[in-house]
């Protein structure tokens, strides 16, 4: 198992850059979290005011809403950032440990690339990428290194079902389970000593789509926080049911709403302390009915009453369970038409 | 929150918060001074050419998700201007809201594809070329609004593909038309131009290699200057399958003039990913009973 790599220091050798907007807490007046539209991003003067809607790049939320009215405190400092580097590490923000199981297939590099491009905007993100493989692959190792993200690269191979043909994995073990469990074990073995660390664990599959807002919603998780997920269960979205007192009392799903936790993997996050405090809690490996994976872990950690609804009391969609089509490689033929040394 | 002026040393009012603020103000002020001092010694760099990304888009369930993850990539690219063109008779609230919160420099356009050119329910995706009117509308806007002495390059980026950050740096200094491999397209792991002695000599493609330009929309970029110098160049929506790119490029450039990028077209920096249509059987069943999900919740 690999140790956690520290984020690279920003080198500031690139062009003047702009740090993307952040919904950051303004209490820590960390100038690095703020940004201002640099000269490069102002449109040329002759952009017409026409019927077309256009706008220059500006930082997102108006930070003045959160801070005091003093202009000099709120005033942002121009900082040299290198594009494609994550935000500087903050000593005060809880870390979001994102656990992503992944496996080799033609779209893998594309999926991990666009996922990384999302994660590069999230402060204090630690990506735990767990390959379903006997050994860490060069493709993933190279990709992770080049992103500049803070990451840990693990691997464990789901046993193949030897009764079926060659590469088919054991269908009794849901995909990703062993990989997620390895991450849980890694947290307990590596981070268990430092009891004061603030962190949240989120299981993010490599083909879903995540808004940036989602990560800020989960950062404050005390035990387990929950929110709606689009495109699961054959619906536009599934959602926890939240009562007037802000408590989860059920599940708005069609598929088996009586599961203990009728929620998708992408719909919850767990406080790291809870993971460390209950070292026996894992996803059940075998004998799990379809849709009960999440319950198999969560029932060891919380009750319904403990759940913290997020995303405006579970009324907003901040994550989508997208799936990528398997590309038709019909023209490769039996022997392969393209050079296998060209990585895709 | 009460506060004092930045010159105050806060000895007159003993509030811990104000002392912190005072200390931070001093730090901020000194950082500002440092920055101002540092600036004159930095060598002046030429401004980066703008990358104008034209993305046709249309309303469907995964649209917001696609635009969201696309915007995350674009936010990491310096000097990028996103031209989003909806296939719609009017701007939709979803895309308007989304763009205004994206943090990107953008232009929001729209033009509806004529009915006879639209794919019908059940049509395979390859039946009719899509996005021609929308890309042409993007070109129209550029021609009417941008002066060529600014430099700049135009890239047609569909909303479901996947783009590496390096791709944008490869295309940024395009003089005429630059080209590179595209992954997961044409029924193959990748398609690419074949380069000999620094020039494109032919194309490695799984389908109809005799097309004038047998490459995917995601596999080339055009300099703004070239587009402005050729006001008639546009995509032909009636072109036969697979000839949409050629219909545009053949009036702009010859194969010999193409500029090969991505390590002489040996690296894959963009992938023609496609997103599955989400299964909605339960949603449809619920809606029949009047129990569908809340339509006010935007997905």
């Amino acid at each position: 198992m690999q140790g956690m790599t520290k984020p690279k220091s920003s080198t500031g050798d690139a062009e003047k850059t702009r740090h993307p907007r952040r919904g950051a807490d303004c209490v820590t007046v960390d100038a690095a979290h703020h940004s201002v539209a640099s000269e490069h991003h102002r449109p040329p003067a002759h952009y017409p005011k026409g019927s077309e809607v256009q706008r220059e790049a500006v930082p997102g939320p108006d930070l003045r809403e959160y801070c005091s009215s003093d202009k000099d405190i709120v005033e942002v400092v121009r900082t040299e950032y290198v594009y494609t580097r994550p935000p500087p590490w903050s000593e005060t923000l809880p870390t979001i440990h994102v656990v992503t199981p992944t496996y080799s297939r033609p779209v893998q590099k594309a999926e991990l690339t666009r996922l990384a491009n999302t994660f590069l905007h999230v402060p204090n993100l630690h990506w735990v990428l767990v390959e379903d493989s006997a050994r860490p692959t060069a493709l993933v190792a190279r990709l992770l290194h080049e992103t500049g993200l803070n990451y840990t690269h693990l691997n464990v191979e789901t046993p193949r079902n030897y009764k079926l043909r060659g590469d088919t994995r054991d269908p009794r073990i849901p995909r990703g389970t062993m990989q997620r469990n390895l991450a849980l074990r890694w947290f307990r073995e590596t981070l268990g000593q430092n009891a004061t660390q603030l962190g949240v664990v989120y299981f993010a599959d490599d083909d879903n789509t995540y808004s940036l807002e989602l990560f800020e919603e989960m950062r404050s998780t005390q035990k387990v926080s929950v929110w709606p997920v689009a495109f699961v269960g054959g619906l536009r979205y599934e959602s926890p049911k939240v009562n007037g007192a802000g408590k989860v009392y059920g599940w708005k799903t069609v598929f088996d709403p009586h599961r203990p936790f009728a929620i998708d993997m992408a719909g919850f996050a767990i406080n790291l302390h809870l993971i460390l405090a209950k070292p026996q809690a894992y996803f059940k490996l075998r004998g799990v009915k379809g849709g009960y994976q999440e319950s198999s872990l969560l029932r060891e950690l919380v009750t319904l009453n403990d759940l913290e609804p997020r995303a405006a009391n579970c009324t907003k969609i901040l994550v989508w369970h997208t799936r990528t089509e398997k590309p038709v490689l019909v023209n490769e033929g039996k022997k392969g038409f393209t050079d296998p040394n060209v990585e895709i | 929150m009460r506060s004092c002026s930045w010159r105050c040393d806060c000895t007159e009012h003993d509030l811990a918060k104000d002392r912190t603020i005072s200390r931070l103000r001093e730090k901020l002020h000194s950082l500002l001074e440092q920055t101002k001092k540092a600036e004159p010694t930095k060598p002046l760099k030429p401004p980066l050419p703008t990358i104008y990304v034209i993305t046709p888009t249309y309303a469907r369930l995964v649209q917001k998700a696609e635009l969201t993850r696309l915007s995350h990539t674009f936010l990491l690219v310096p000097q990028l201007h996103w031209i989003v063109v909806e296939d719609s008779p009017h701007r939709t609230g979803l895309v308007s809201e989304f763009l205004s919160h994206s943090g990107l420099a953008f232009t929001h356009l729209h033009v509806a594809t004529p009915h006879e050119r639209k794919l019908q329910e059940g049509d395979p995706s390859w039946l009719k070329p899509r996005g021609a009117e929308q890309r042409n509308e993007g070109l129209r806007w550029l021609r009417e609004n941008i002066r060529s002495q600014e430099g700049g390059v135009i890239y047609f980026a569909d909303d479901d593909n996947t783009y590496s950050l390096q791709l944008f740096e490869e295309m940024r200094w395009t003089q005429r038309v630059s080209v590179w491999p595209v992954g997961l397209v044409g029924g193959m792991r990748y398609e690419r131009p074949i380069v000999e002695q620094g020039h494109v000599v032919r194309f490695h493609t799984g389908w109809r290699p005799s097309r004038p330009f047998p490459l995917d929309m995601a596999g080339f970029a055009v300099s703004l200057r070239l587009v402005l110098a050729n006001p008639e160049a546009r995509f032909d929506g009636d072109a036969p399958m697979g000839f949409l790119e050629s219909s545009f490029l053949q009036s702009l450039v010859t194969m010999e003039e193409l500029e090969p990028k991505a390590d002489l077209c040996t690296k894959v920096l963009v992938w023609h990913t496609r997103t599955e249509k989400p299964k909605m059987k339960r949603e449809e069943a619920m809606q029949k009973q009047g129990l569908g999900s809340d339509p006010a919740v935007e997905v």
Side-chain angles (χ1 to χ4, degrees):
Chain A
M1 295 196 288
Q2 313 231 346
M4 186 159 76
T5 55
K6 277 293 151 210
K8 292 184 187 154
S9 55
S10 36
T11 51
D13 61 297
E15 337 290 338
K16 201 153 185 82
T17 63
R18 179 184 65 90
H19 199 65
R21 69 178 181 90
R22 206 149 303 293
D25 186 349
C26 200
V27 170
T28 51
V29 186
D30 180 349
H33 279 280
H34 304 162
S35 68
V36 72
S38 75
E39 271 92 20
H40 290 302
H41 288 267
R42 287 208 198 97
H46 54 261
Y47 270 20
K49 314 267 184 228
S51 58
E52 299 114 359
V53 179
Q54 68 221 7
R55 204 204 55 188
E56 60 187 281
V58 287
D62 184 358
L63 299 164
R64 276 166 275 256
E65 289 171 24
Y66 305 99
C67 302
S68 80
S69 58
D70 297 71
K71 278 194 171 168
D72 46 359
I73 287 191
V74 170
E75 181 184 346
V76 292
V77 178
R78 284 172 195 264
T79 322
E80 287 283 326
Y81 279 116
V82 180
Y83 272 90
T84 80
R85 289 287 177 264
W89 202 262
S90 158
E91 293 307 314
T92 48
L93 286 180
T95 299
I96 298 177
H97 301 276
V98 179
V99 176
T100 299
T102 187
Y103 66 102
S104 181
R105 75 276 196 200
V107 298
Q108 181 189 37
K109 192 178 180 187
E111 302 283 44
L112 296 178
T113 296
R114 58 183 168 185
L115 203 54
N117 290 346
T118 290
F119 293 162
L120 279 166
H121 297 285
V122 183
N124 284 43
L125 184 145
H126 170 224
W127 198 11
V128 182
L129 196 57
V130 194
E131 294 196 72
D132 186 344
S133 63
R135 272 165 291 280
T137 64
L139 185 152
V140 172
R142 257 196 306 265
L143 184 144
L144 281 174
H145 177 77
E146 281 167 14
T147 61
L149 288 165
N150 183 5
Y151 68 87
T152 294
H153 184 186
L154 307 173
N155 64 279
V156 60
E157 191 175 26
T158 307
R160 268 35 184 175
N161 189 329
Y162 301 105
K163 289 184 196 157
L164 302 178
R165 281 178 53 189
D167 201 38
T168 319
R169 51 170 195 92
D170 189 337
R172 293 172 296 166
I173 302 176
R175 201 190 261 297
T177 309
M178 289 188 68
Q179 289 70 38
R180 293 184 194 101
N181 281 345
L182 180 63
L184 290 174
R185 204 180 101 203
W186 184 89
F187 291 131
R188 286 155 180 157
E189 289 182 10
T190 317
L191 305 179
Q193 282 68 37
N194 194 342
T196 57
Q197 271 187 33
L198 292 174
V200 173
V201 175
Y202 181 54
F203 298 98
D205 289 350
D206 67 7
D207 56 353
N208 290 337
T209 304
Y210 309 92
S211 68
L212 300 182
E213 214 184 317
L214 176 73
F215 298 101
E216 299 320 313
E217 289 288 299
M218 71 174 73
R219 207 184 284 278
S220 58
T221 303
Q222 300 298 300
K223 287 186 175 163
V224 174
S225 55
V226 293
W227 48 78
V229 178
F231 312 144
V232 284
L235 301 172
R236 284 172 77 244
Y237 61 89
E238 283 184 343
S239 170
K241 283 193 199 170
V242 182
N243 63 22
K247 288 283 188 196
V248 176
Y249 67 95
W251 308 99
K252 215 168 152 199
T253 79
V254 168
F255 171 66
D256 208 345
H258 303 295
R259 288 170 277 165
F261 295 89
I263 193 166
D264 183 78
M265 198 65 73
F268 65 91
I270 309 172
N271 188 308
L272 179 65
H273 283 164
L274 194 53
I275 303 278
L276 301 178
K278 309 242 171 135
Q280 310 307 322
Y282 283 96
F283 289 102
K284 196 157 175 247
L285 210 52
R286 283 189 169 83
V288 181
K289 245 172 41 170
Y292 283 77
Q293 258 274 289
E294 294 81 359
S295 296
S296 75
L297 173 70
L298 290 173
R299 63 196 305 197
E300 312 273 318
L301 298 173
V302 280
T303 63
L304 213 66
N305 195 57
D306 288 331
L307 297 176
E308 302 147 51
R310 292 282 187 271
N313 265 345
C314 295
T315 59
K316 282 168 68 168
I317 305 297
L318 302 177
V319 55
W320 300 261
H321 195 277
T322 42
R323 290 170 54 87
T324 304
E325 281 185 14
K326 191 173 165 178
V328 173
L329 299 183
V330 63
N331 285 327
E332 288 288 348
K334 281 204 177 117
K335 288 191 188 152
F337 191 54
T338 55
D339 181 352
N341 290 318
V342 174
E343 187 182 87
I344 55 164
Chain B
M1 182 163 85
R2 251 189 53 207
S3 45
C4 45
S5 85
W6 71 267
R7 281 189 175 79
C8 174
D9 66 358
C10 302
T11 50
E12 288 184 321
H13 50 94
D14 187 28
L15 293 168
K17 254 188 203 169
D18 282 345
R19 274 203 299 277
T20 305
I21 290 170
S22 163
R23 184 171 44 81
L24 288 168
R25 274 205 190 102
E26 271 181 54
K27 178 157 193 208
L28 183 63
H29 199 72
S30 86
L31 282 170
L32 281 168
E33 292 299 306
Q34 275 178 47
T35 314
K36 281 181 199 153
K37 279 180 196 149
E39 263 161 13
T41 62
K42 283 192 201 128
L44 278 174
K45 292 173 188 163
L48 283 181
T50 302
I51 300 176
Y52 296 96
V53 178
I54 297 180
T55 297
T57 188
Y58 66 102
R60 74 279 195 199
L61 285 167
V62 297
Q63 180 185 39
K64 192 177 181 188
E66 302 282 45
L67 294 176
T68 297
R69 57 183 169 184
L70 201 53
S71 73
H72 297 163
T73 291
F74 293 162
L75 279 167
L76 298 168
V77 181
Q79 209 55 26
L80 182 149
H81 186 102
W82 197 12
I83 301 172
V84 177
V85 194
E86 295 197 69
D87 184 348
S88 169
H90 51 80
R91 269 178 217 103
T92 63
L94 186 151
V95 175
S96 302
E97 281 280 302
F98 166 78
L99 285 173
S100 66
H101 292 118
S102 66
L104 289 161
F106 69 87
T107 295
H108 185 186
L109 307 172
H110 63 93
V111 63
T113 305
H115 182 81
E116 58 276 12
R117 288 208 189 139
K118 272 178 100 77
L119 286 175
Q120 305 305 321
E121 187 72 33
D123 279 350
S125 66
W126 46 261
L127 192 65
K128 289 177 184 142
R130 285 185 303 178
E133 282 79 10
Q134 288 73 37
R135 294 185 191 97
N136 287 338
E137 171 65 3
L139 291 172
R140 196 262 325 149
W141 184 88
L142 284 168
R143 284 167 170 140
E144 288 182 18
N145 292 284
I146 310 295
R147 305 286 165 269
S148 74
Q149 60 260 28
E150 298 160 24
V153 63
I154 303 166
Y155 182 53
F156 299 97
D158 291 350
D159 66 7
D160 56 351
N161 290 337
T162 303
Y163 310 91
S164 69
L165 300 179
Q166 199 191 331
L167 176 74
F168 298 99
E169 298 323 308
E170 293 286 310
M171 70 173 75
R172 198 183 286 280
W173 305 94
T174 301
Q175 298 299 300
R176 290 197 181 81
V177 177
S178 54
V179 292
W180 48 77
V182 177
L184 310 174
V185 72
M188 305 207 294
R189 288 171 71 248
Y190 60 85
E191 280 187 334
R192 69 183 183 101
I194 302 292
V195 175
E196 281 168 18
Q197 279 155 5
H199 292 281
V200 176
V201 295
R202 62 184 176 282
F203 297 90
H204 181 94
T205 164
W207 192 75
R208 295 228 192 145
S210 56
R211 292 174 279 162
F213 291 93
L215 29 69
D216 185 78
M217 198 65 71
F220 68 92
V222 189
S223 73
L224 178 64
R225 204 175 332 119
L226 192 63
V227 163
L228 296 181
N230 290 276
E232 299 310 310
R234 58 175 45 81
F235 292 93
D236 180 1
D238 288 326
M241 254 324 293
F243 284 78
L244 195 61
E245 294 83 358
S246 300
S247 73
F248 175 61
L249 290 172
Q250 57 194 4
S251 62
L252 291 174
V253 76
T254 66
M255 185 179 69
E256 291 70 34
E257 291 172 322
L258 295 174
E259 298 146 52
K261 304 291 186 190
D263 262 8
L264 297 178
C265 295
T266 58
K267 299 276 186 294
V268 175
L269 302 175
V270 55
W271 300 262
H272 196 275
T273 42
R274 291 173 51 86
T275 304
E276 283 184 12
K277 192 173 166 185
K279 299 193 173 84
M280 286 290 126
K281 285 221 169 81
R282 290 203 182 101
E283 180 72 45
E284 284 152 16
M286 294 294 278
Q287 282 181 10
K288 284 200 178 108
Q289 301 170 43
L291 296 168
S293 63
D294 183 352
V297 174
E298 186 181 85
V299 301

